[in-house]
Amino acid sequence: MATQVTVKILRYDPEKDKKAHFETYTVEADPLDRILDVLNSIKWYQDGSLTYRRSCAHGVCGSDAMRINGRNRLACKVLVRDVGGDAGKKIQIEPMLGFRILRDLVVDMDPFFEKYKSIKPYLINYEDAPASSERYQSAEDREIFDETTKCILCGACSGSCPPYWAGPDFVGPAAIVNAHRFIFDSRDQGAAERLSILGEGEGVFRCRTVYNCTDACPRNIPVTKAIEQIRRAMLYNR
Amino acid sequence: MSTETKTTQHTHPDPVARTTRRWTRSGGRPRPTGNFELFSWYFFRISGILLLFFALIHLLIMHLLNNVDVIDYNFIVQRWASPLWRTFDIMLLVLALTHGLNGARVLIYDYVHSRGWRTFAVTTLYVVGILFIVLGAQVILTFQPQIQSVAK
Amino acid sequence: MYHKFDAVVVGAGGAGLMAALQLVGKANIACITKLYPSRSHTGAAQGGICAALGNTEEDHWEWHMFDTVKGGDYLTDQDAAEVLARDAIERIIEMEHMGLPFNRTPEGKIDQRRFGGHTRNYGEGPVRRACYAADRTGHMILQTLYQQGIKENVTFFNEYHVMDLLINNGRCVGVTALEIKTGELHTFHAKAVIFATGGFGRAWRVTSNAHACTGDGMAVAYRAGIPLMDMEMYQFHPTGLYRIGILLSEAARGEGGILRNVNGERFCERYAPTLKDLAPRDMVSRFIYQEIKEGRGAGPNKDYVYLHVDHLGKEVIDAKLPDITDFARTYLHVEPYKEGVPIQPTAHYAMGGIPTNIDGEVILDEKATVLPGCYAAGETACVSVHGANRLGTNSLVDLVVFGKRAGLKAAEYCQQNDWESLPANHEARSKELLGFVNAGASDGKRTEIAGDIRKDLQNSMQDNVSIVRNETGLTAQMGKLQELRERYGRLRLQDTGTKFNTERMEALELGCLLECAEAATKGALERKESRGAQFRDDFEKRDDVNFLAHTLAYRAENGGVKELRYKPVVITRFEPKERKY
């Protein structure tokens, strides 16, 4: 079943290259192989210097977000046959836009995590918790923020967002998604703080409703909808 | 123990923390803008919906129901004889300009990052915008029909 | 570069983060991780975390303790199992207070569901004990603990690969680590070091483990003279996606999913009449092995069976098992609403690891002599609370219960003890190792490719040290590992860069895998009995006379296992009995 797959990868080595450039590889792959398997096969048997992040290999750790044929995807959640690699189509792989490239497909995630931290991504509750039992929450209340608890902080949404590319200070969709997860948690009392952070110039109003984030999210989180819900919360809960 | 804690933490800063300063160029979080961004966003939506109606009616009257060659001085005189149409046109002018200005402002904020240039660009935009609103409003509000027969 | 922290936590998964949180405010702490904290493999855990909360039906921690001991085929230290079952309740409540979004019962309490091997009243039938957040419980635990770390301003060193454990005058005094981004070697001088570096599932071909699970912490400790305990006890999870091994949680069976062979028969009934599909993992994996061996496997090679959830209905699947059904669709293009998902057992969890006592203190021998200042928790540690076979969800319980205990003990240690100096030439061993790997890029005689060695390791471990083992296979594997170690000595490197050299990192990881594999194989070879995950077809019976004991493997100075010793099992409440379900 194995076929020849052609992959074009944007390479950049800060110790050697002045500019990033494409290199093309031909690899033997199964149509059901993941793009990550293809990258591994290049790294292990053709070019050991090819650099990318990876860990879980099944879309839950968020390490291997990259641009595959122009769209942000997790390399471990796209199969060769999903992008027609087995039908002779060339697969193009680049690092995500909107981030500084460290090497090849590895980008600097530190600013991204700093933005995540800036929205206070932890439960804020000023009352003492019950001594020996959980805080109660109805199943309906739990359901409200279910979607946004799925975020794995891979950065695919932020890296696909035109305002994020344009504005280095924009907190970006990932941080907003995580703010949503707490703002709509009935146990949380920090909504006002977070809404005021997100109401600033670099918060939710930077969003231009492009929907790239929703398309890019490997966890199928309705990101744009979450952003809209936060804006509505600002408007109606004043 | 606790003093030791503090000093060591400062001499070995979190490698992540170093990059914090990089992304907030202006030093620290951007200053709160109050509710301006919220109202700007809300205004966008409201003005957008209103403009849809205003612009469509405008289009209908000026281009579909009346051919361009019937639109002359007299046409305007007749139209602006009614305060209703003057109000309509004022609304159209103000809404279209503010909506557009807001859009341009947002673009400036997206793509002009240096504080100086941003202030310059936004100031220019506001000056030009206000100028057009004032000029347009002056025409609409102060227009007095001249006697047409003399001209003929 | 030199750093000085009271305590250093190596690893930022569930156990590492939980430990770090205990040190906040009591000690100056650093948390080193070779990924970013949110990428840790705790996040891949799916089904749930057990505690006898009794939210949906009667339950008691004693029952949980019993299940843990019996599930571990009585190799479990019972003092540890008691701590696990008791503390689990408080830890779940604590994490709920931290914000963990558990699924809820109609009255708003934490919802609980069934899980393999967890029973009511000492084995009468399945009990609802697993607290869960859809089928991403581990993800929510990891996120919640990381969020608390952010809140408490824990100092993280992300993408640092641990190289060596430093010991001086009989005390643990720190670690060295390689900063992946720059290639720089860092020394972390500390009073206390907590290892929470996870397992080594990448030693097998079909595994549910992340690429990052390469037993780094175990290998580093092993090289520093600390023994590894019960390494032969390696769990194969029954339901990995066919061919690639991605985990399909036991929650699928907890919610009513069933396993069928090629004839559509629910074969677990035949082997375990009471618990059926919810028998412990070692057993279900063997049932599958047996079905395939006897020709009742499906597919062209007759080498898988089916996991069916189609009869549960769309609503249940979408609400409670969304992620794992998504895996089936993404990777196999199979629609679980309508058809069975091809599965096969997958290498999943190390019951063994760095030996510790119930407070997470690392011990050095069968008399439980403590190495002061050194702690371990989570999969990398062996308390031993899982014995010869871990029950589903108990890994997450282990992380938070023993992560917390190790953190608290380390905090106490930091407050009571003064600084010990670093040993002379503290970077020597790390530099030697780095020098060896780096030389692969310039030395023309170094021709071995890491990919080949890794593939050979994984294939041979899969063949010889998996669900069913025997003398012949294990002996052959010892030879194979010897050969692989020699080939590793001639490892080639193509990447000469210093910055973000992941080829070098993978080479280091491969070295760690080889160490762990060797300890596991040797332990399995010498344990001439069948118990839990260790099933020998040449010794099919459990042998409590000779092997009711933990294996301690010590490393020889220049590689290989020097000797095995045996540490008695702690038995308090439950006398060993035959295990039937």
Side-chain angles (χ1 to χ4, degrees):
Chain A
M1 283 283 278
T3 48
Q4 296 291 316
V5 176
T6 314
V7 196
K8 196 175 153 195
I9 303 174
L10 192 67
R11 303 288 311 265
Y12 169 71
D13 181 348
E15 292 170 89
K16 286 183 187 153
D17 304 330
K18 282 214 180 84
K19 270 185 74 180
H21 60 279
F22 279 103
E23 274 179 40
T24 306
Y25 300 87
T26 309
V27 202
E28 189 148 292
D30 190 278
L32 279 176
D33 277 349
R34 295 158 277 197
I35 297 299
L36 179 62
D37 298 321
V38 172
L39 290 174
N40 281 338
S41 155
I42 296 170
K43 183 173 182 65
W44 295 344
Y45 300 107
Q46 291 189 35
D47 186 347
S49 68
L50 178 64
T51 305
Y52 48 91
R53 290 192 178 99
R54 84 286 180 273
S55 186
C56 79
H58 64 287
V60 296
C61 82
S63 297
D64 59 354
M66 52 187 74
R67 271 185 114 205
I68 299 171
N69 287 348
R71 298 176 118 178
N72 283 359
R73 294 287 183 259
L74 296 182
C76 60
K77 277 203 93 171
V78 179
L79 305 188
V80 167
R81 80 174 192 193
D82 295 341
V83 285
D86 54 331
K89 281 194 195 141
K90 193 183 274 183
I91 303 168
Q92 181 164 314
I93 304 177
E94 299 152 273
M96 286 194 290
L97 297 176
F99 295 87
R100 190 163 64 92
I101 302 176
L102 294 179
R103 187 175 172 178
D104 293 349
L105 304 172
V106 173
V107 294
D108 184 4
M109 293 298 284
D110 289 344
F112 172 84
F113 276 96
E114 285 310 315
K115 290 170 183 183
Y116 167 66
K117 289 175 192 171
S118 75
I119 54 90
K120 305 192 177 191
Y122 40 81
L123 191 84
I124 297 174
N125 190 314
Y126 298 104
E127 287 158 27
D128 289 335
S132 59
S133 86
E134 61 269 52
R135 289 191 173 101
Y136 281 26
Q137 179 173 51
S138 72
E140 295 72 35
D141 282 347
R142 165 68 180 74
E143 186 58 31
I144 294 172
F145 64 100
D146 187 64
E147 298 278 11
T148 44
T149 65
K150 291 179 184 170
C151 176
I152 53 174
L153 298 168
C154 66
C157 56
S158 295
S160 70
C161 169
Y164 193 86
W165 301 335
D169 292 348
F170 175 34
V171 294
I176 302 176
V177 158
N178 283 280
H180 180 283
R181 176 252 173 275
F182 288 102
I183 289 169
F184 293 94
D185 187 335
S186 60
R187 300 167 298 171
D188 185 86
Q189 300 175 338
E193 295 167 47
R194 293 194 194 90
L195 289 178
S196 112
I197 293 166
L198 292 176
E200 290 170 9
E202 302 298 345
V204 284
F205 297 110
R206 264 287 133 89
C207 167
R208 308 276 173 262
T209 338
V210 183
Y211 279 92
N212 273 9
C213 50
T214 306
D215 171 69
C217 181
R219 305 282 293 159
N220 297 322
I221 301 171
V223 184
T224 314
K225 187 174 149 200
I227 298 175
E228 202 62 16
Q229 283 175 343
I230 291 180
R231 291 199 281 221
R232 279 162 187 266
M234 288 179 181
L235 191 65
Y236 297 125
N237 304 343
R238 300 170 51 73
Chain B
M1 206 283 305
S2 62
T3 49
E4 168 106 31
T5 304
K6 291 254 156 45
T7 48
T8 32
Q9 214 140 37
H10 283 293
T11 47
H12 305 294
D14 181 352
V16 167
R18 288 199 297 266
T19 57
T20 326
R21 270 165 249 132
R22 221 181 305 134
W23 75 267
T24 48
R25 300 173 174 213
S26 43
R29 174 181 300 291
R31 264 174 291 151
T33 45
N35 291 318
F36 179 72
E37 289 290 347
L38 174 64
F39 284 123
S40 144
W41 168 75
Y42 191 52
F43 174 75
F44 243 138
R45 262 100 190 121
I46 300 299
S47 57
I49 293 169
L50 290 175
L51 272 173
L52 195 67
F53 292 109
F54 279 82
L56 278 178
I57 293 169
H58 183 79
L59 196 75
L60 193 71
I61 294 171
M62 305 300 274
H63 298 287
L64 297 174
L65 296 182
N66 302 294
N67 210 326
V68 195
D69 44 72
V70 304
I71 297 173
D72 56 7
Y73 189 81
N74 274 324
F75 183 87
I76 302 296
V77 170
Q78 280 167 24
R79 211 164 103 94
W80 280 359
S82 151
L84 183 82
W85 284 113
R86 287 204 194 213
T87 317
F88 181 94
D89 281 357
I90 276 270
M91 291 285 282
L92 183 60
L93 171 78
V94 173
L95 280 175
L97 267 170
T98 47
H99 187 94
L101 279 177
N102 203 14
R105 178 189 70 87
V106 155
L107 282 178
I108 290 169
Y109 274 89
D110 269 357
Y111 293 100
V112 184
H113 299 303
S114 114
R115 188 167 273 195
W117 280 110
R118 191 183 274 189
T119 314
F120 171 75
V122 172
T123 312
T124 313
L125 184 73
Y126 285 166
V127 167
V128 173
I130 289 167
L131 194 72
F132 278 125
I133 290 178
V134 169
L135 282 176
Q138 197 210 2
V139 173
I140 297 171
L141 293 174
T142 61
F143 178 82
Q144 293 292 332
Q146 305 293 316
I147 312 297
Q148 285 296 295
S149 50
V150 176
K152 276 184 181 168
Chain C
M1 199 172 160
Y2 173 83
H3 308 260
K4 194 173 182 183
F5 288 92
D6 291 331
V8 171
V9 180
V10 186
L17 291 168
M18 196 62 169
L21 290 174
Q22 309 316 311
L23 288 144
V24 168
K26 296 179 191 156
N28 167 25
I29 102 154
C31 189
I32 304 173
T33 164
K34 73 171 172 178
L35 308 164
Y36 277 84
S38 63
R39 316 269 188 249
S40 307
H41 204 53
T42 299
Q46 298 165 357
I49 174 165
C50 273
L53 298 179
N55 276 358
T56 54
E57 59 184 317
E58 188 189 354
D59 200 4
H60 302 281
W61 68 261
E62 291 90 341
W63 297 356
H64 186 186
M65 176 190 168
F66 171 77
D67 291 335
T68 303
V69 171
K70 183 181 173 189
D73 219 348
Y74 295 92
L75 190 67
T76 305
D77 281 333
Q78 298 191 8
D79 54 342
E82 179 166 343
V83 166
L84 178 101
R86 278 174 184 266
D87 284 13
I89 299 167
E90 289 166 34
R91 293 296 80 77
I92 301 279
I93 300 296
E94 184 181 350
M95 285 195 295
E96 196 284 333
H97 292 167
M98 287 175 181
L100 206 153
F102 284 111
N103 280 38
R104 300 287 169 159
T105 63
E107 60 269 41
K109 294 197 248 179
I110 297 171
D111 198 10
Q112 298 186 279
R113 65 178 165 202
R114 292 175 177 164
F115 234 83
H118 289 277
T119 68
R120 81 184 123 79
N121 205 14
Y122 308 106
E124 277 181 7
V127 71
R128 293 179 200 281
R129 185 179 290 150
C131 309
Y132 65 100
D135 53 0
R136 48 178 187 280
T137 315
H139 164 76
M140 292 325 316
I141 290 176
L142 183 65
Q143 293 284 325
T144 304
L145 293 175
Y146 177 42
Q147 289 157 357
Q148 291 299 308
I150 291 171
K151 185 181 176 192
E152 303 295 350
N153 250 322
V154 172
T155 305
F156 289 103
F157 288 86
N158 300 323
E159 302 192 317
Y160 279 62
H161 190 264
V162 67
M163 296 287 293
D164 194 10
L165 172 66
L166 306 173
I167 297 173
N168 198 23
N169 295 328
R171 283 171 64 181
C172 175
V173 293
V175 291
T176 59
L178 185 70
E179 184 180 2
I180 300 168
K181 190 158 85 178
T182 60
E184 193 185 347
L185 189 66
H186 294 250
T187 296
F188 292 86
H189 186 184
K191 290 181 185 173
V193 172
I194 302 174
F195 271 95
T197 51
F200 63 103
R202 280 282 153 182
W204 285 267
R205 184 181 67 236
V206 178
T207 177
S208 65
N209 279 206
H211 283 284
C213 296
T214 51
D216 305 346
M218 294 182 193
V220 161
Y222 190 45
R223 286 174 187 149
I226 295 168
L228 295 178
M229 189 159 97
D230 290 342
M231 291 294 276
E232 67 274 24
M233 296 306 178
Y234 200 90
Q235 178 169 77
F236 281 73
H237 192 291
T239 54
L241 271 191
Y242 177 59
R243 207 172 69 100
I244 37 181
I246 294 170
L247 183 68
L248 295 184
S249 169
E250 208 163 308
R253 283 170 288 139
E255 293 292 350
I258 46 184
L259 296 171
R260 293 188 188 282
N261 60 23
V262 73
N263 306 324
E265 183 203 2
R266 186 181 186 181
F267 56 87
C268 287
E269 256 173 353
R270 226 183 314 123
Y271 301 93
T274 313
L275 287 187
K276 296 176 182 135
D277 301 273
L278 283 175
R281 290 173 178 173
D282 58 328
M283 297 180 129
V284 178
S285 288
R286 273 199 297 279
F287 303 161
I288 297 170
Y289 177 89
Q290 200 63 27
E291 289 301 300
I292 291 172
K293 194 179 160 197
E294 289 170 16
R296 292 189 290 274
N301 302 322
K302 289 178 171 282
D303 58 350
Y304 59 80
V305 296
Y306 293 107
L307 171 65
H308 279 271
V309 291
D310 44 336
H311 57 289
L312 299 178
K314 231 173 161 174
E315 288 77 38
V316 174
I317 293 175
D318 287 348
K320 297 189 169 170
L321 308 165
D323 276 11
I324 62 176
T325 43
D326 184 48
F327 293 148
R329 286 181 201 120
T330 306
Y331 297 108
L332 295 183
H333 287 238
V334 163
E335 178 47 69
Y337 288 154
K338 290 188 292 205
E339 52 193 324
V341 183
I343 56 109
Q344 73 182 119
T346 178
H348 186 54
Y349 186 86
M351 272 73 75
I354 304 171
T356 72
N357 59 25
I358 56 168
D359 288 313
E361 296 170 294
V362 170
I363 56 175
L364 294 170
D365 53 33
E366 62 276 25
K367 291 188 228 76
T369 312
V370 167
L371 171 61
C374 194
Y375 303 81
E379 186 174 351
T380 207
C382 180
V383 183
S384 148
V385 80
H386 306 304
N389 171 59
R390 173 174 72 75
L391 288 191
T393 80
N394 269 358
S395 55
L396 293 177
V397 186
D398 181 3
L399 300 182
V400 294
V401 166
F402 291 100
K404 173 136 187 163
R405 291 178 77 94
L408 287 173
K409 200 71 185 174
E412 194 185 297
Y413 181 87
C414 289
Q415 287 171 327
Q416 288 170 353
N417 287 276
D418 226 341
W419 287 91
E420 172 68 55
S421 59
L422 288 172
N425 297 327
H426 59 271
E427 289 186 347
R429 218 161 37 184
S430 317
K431 281 185 174 155
E432 193 191 331
L433 181 57
L434 266 179
F436 155 71
V437 174
N438 285 338
S442 51
D443 185 345
K445 287 189 223 109
R446 302 258 297 250
T447 51
E448 287 290 342
I449 297 165
D452 286 337
I453 300 179
R454 193 187 303 108
K455 196 200 263 173
D456 282 358
L457 169 72
Q458 292 172 340
N459 284 335
S460 59
M461 288 298 281
Q462 193 81 28
D463 293 342
N464 298 325
V465 199
S466 60
I467 300 170
V468 175
R469 308 159 177 186
N470 54 44
E471 182 96 27
T472 323
L474 292 167
T475 312
Q477 185 62 12
M478 286 309 291
K480 183 77 188 172
L481 288 168
Q482 168 84 19
E483 174 213 315
L484 292 176
R485 184 146 41 84
E486 281 164 21
R487 284 169 58 191
Y488 184 72
R490 298 191 299 275
L491 190 66
R492 185 191 70 165
L493 217 63
Q494 289 178 305
D495 191 344
T496 51
T498 48
K499 290 179 181 171
F500 238 104
N501 186 334
T502 50
E503 192 189 25
R504 177 172 60 198
M505 194 184 83
E506 288 186 350
L508 291 168
E509 290 175 335
L510 177 60
C512 294
L513 278 179
L514 288 169
E515 304 276 10
C516 295
E518 209 153 15
T521 309
K522 183 72 178 166
L525 178 63
E526 297 304 327
R527 185 180 280 277
K528 298 183 193 310
E529 63 154 355
S530 290
R531 180 190 298 273
Q534 157 91 345
F535 185 83
R536 294 273 302 249
D537 61 11
D538 47 353
F539 298 95
E540 288 196 359
K541 287 268 175 305
R542 195 172 80 193
D543 178 0
D544 285 344
V545 178
N546 294 309
F547 291 105
L548 188 57
H550 302 291
T551 313
L552 288 172
Y554 290 81
R555 184 179 183 272
E557 191 60 38
N558 44 9
V561 182
K562 183 174 71 181
E563 60 169 326
L564 294 184
R565 294 193 212 162
Y566 291 92
K567 178 176 175 292
V569 173
V570 179
I571 292 169
T572 57
R573 288 170 182 250
F574 307 111
E575 278 304 313
K577 282 192 194 136
E578 198 196 342
R579 209 160 56 118
K580 273 195 181 144
Y581 285 95

